[in-house]
Amino acid sequence: MSDTQESGAWRRLRARPSAVVAAAVLAVLALLAIGAPLLSALEGQDPTTYHDQLIDSARGGVPTGSLGGISADHWLGVEPGTGRDLFSRLLYGAQVSLLVALGATVVQVVIGVVVGLAAGLGNRFLDSVLSRFTDVLVALPMLVFAVALTAVVPEEFPRPLLLIVVIGLLNWGGMSRIVRAQTLSLKKLDHVAAARLGGSGPWRVARRELLPALAAPVITYAAILVPSNIVVEASLSFLGIGVKPPTSSWGQMLSTATTWFRADPVYVLLPAACLFVTVLAFTVLGDAVRGALDPRERSRLRVGVRGFGPRRTRKPAAAAAPDTTKGAAR
């Protein structure tokens, strides 16, 4: 994309209120995750300390007080069964969930774009081999293979890094399919064909002619992959092979919170609300980015704007001169 096109896309993106709100929400979430140690210290708590005096053992570990034990010392209450501060665990859980989701998305985008471009620009044999391999990967049950891969890894290996590698390596098939389909369509265009006939190699054509045009679908699909990866991380944590205590993540909190739904609904609603807001913000921002980068979308917008503009009034035709020949004949 040229500098003019990039500035135009950025201007159109800022003109969408939904995109601005979604970006602001994601920026706030990122700042909360980055500032988790500072905010936890400001509250005076940490995510690992147990507060047995704040839970009612006679009721099975339900927090004492209203709304899950919300107080001046614990801004969002405490965790049932353990008494750990819920505000601190949500902040540190945001670090793990967003780190795993974004890291896995980067791995998926890199592998998917490379494989998709190779399949779209390669010969028929290479395209067939890579496409069949992608189809097999998409058809495989990812959770089963994730369980198998994580089971053989030593316990001391960092779990967030392990989740990034496993999710990224097992879930790039969708990105590869999109890039391959777009590449097959784009390489028929005149400027791409001219570059190939001019002696440019496949990767030079991909870098200079195809990648700028692939930015819109890749960014849009990547924005959808991020919340999907958060859900996958939650599923793996629920199965006991993801992030393990005392490290917190939204998925792990939500999986343990299901047993406390009736006794302490706040503990369920808080991580669920964080997941919902994150998924919604990424989805809205991805749709806005697609509209700002897609030239066909821009054409439809321009046509719509012209349709609502002031209509041109046609000048009335000059009145025809009265036919006096009949009267004269009479």
Side-chain angles (χ1 to χ4, degrees):
M1 244 187 322
S2 64
D3 295 338
T4 304
Q5 292 175 337
E6 185 176 356
S7 61
W10 176 247
R11 184 170 58 253
R12 285 185 295 272
L13 188 62
R14 288 187 301 174
R16 296 185 174 220
S18 59
V20 175
V21 173
V25 170
L26 294 176
V28 170
L29 289 174
L31 290 176
L32 290 176
I34 296 173
L38 179 61
L39 294 174
S40 297
L42 183 63
E43 186 195 23
Q45 305 294 335
D46 62 81
T48 58
T49 302
Y50 286 64
H51 300 88
D52 297 332
Q53 73 279 7
L54 299 178
I55 58 175
D56 189 356
S57 57
R59 298 173 56 195
V62 178
T64 58
S66 59
L67 298 177
I70 294 179
S71 63
D73 296 328
H74 301 277
W75 297 345
L76 295 179
V78 296
E79 187 180 49
T82 62
R84 291 179 293 193
D85 184 70
L86 194 54
F87 178 72
S88 298
R89 292 189 66 77
L90 280 174
L91 292 179
Y92 281 91
Q95 286 185 343
V96 175
S97 296
L98 294 178
L99 176 63
V100 171
L102 293 175
T105 301
V106 171
V107 175
Q108 293 166 355
V109 168
V110 172
I111 298 178
V113 169
V114 172
V115 175
L117 283 173
L121 291 176
N123 53 33
R124 183 174 299 179
F125 175 75
L126 181 61
D127 184 18
S128 178
V129 171
L130 293 177
S131 298
R132 297 297 78 77
F133 179 74
T134 303
D135 294 340
V136 171
L137 182 67
V138 172
L140 291 177
M142 192 192 68
L143 287 179
V144 175
F145 277 82
V147 171
L149 290 175
T150 53
V152 299
V153 178
E155 291 292 334
E156 58 271 13
F157 192 86
R159 286 286 159 171
L161 179 59
L162 177 61
L163 290 176
I164 291 174
V165 174
V166 169
I167 297 174
L169 292 179
L170 294 177
N171 202 21
W172 53 264
M175 177 65 72
S176 176
R177 282 180 168 181
I178 291 176
V179 172
R180 174 186 174 273
Q182 292 291 326
T183 301
L184 292 176
S185 176
L186 291 172
K187 74 178 186 178
K188 299 177 182 178
L189 300 179
D190 294 339
H191 68 281
V192 179
R196 299 179 69 181
L197 292 175
S200 299
W203 295 113
R204 181 180 176 87
V205 172
R207 179 169 50 87
R208 301 194 62 178
E209 307 295 340
L210 297 179
L211 284 179
L214 290 171
V218 168
I219 293 175
T220 302
Y221 191 69
I224 299 174
L225 283 175
V226 174
S228 176
N229 291 333
I230 294 177
V231 175
V232 173
E233 182 273 327
S235 302
L236 294 176
S237 298
F238 178 79
L239 295 175
I241 58 175
V243 178
K244 296 183 178 180
T247 305
S248 66
S249 71
W250 290 343
Q252 182 199 66
M253 295 175 64
L254 192 59
S255 63
T256 58
T258 54
T259 58
W260 301 97
F261 179 75
R262 295 183 181 274
D264 186 12
V266 175
Y267 184 49
V268 182
L269 293 176
L270 286 177
C274 292
L275 284 171
F276 174 77
V277 171
T278 304
V279 170
L280 181 62
F282 272 111
T283 303
V284 172
L285 184 60
D287 182 72
V289 170
R290 178 191 60 81
L293 296 177
D294 190 358
R296 291 172 297 181
E297 183 74 12
R298 296 200 300 266
S299 299
R300 288 193 292 267
L301 288 175
R302 286 197 297 266
V303 171
V305 170
R306 287 200 298 266
F308 285 101
R311 295 184 176 180
R312 295 181 179 179
T313 58
R314 180 180 296 179
K315 295 181 179 181
D323 190 4
T324 59
T325 57
K326 296 182 180 180
R330 291 177 185 176

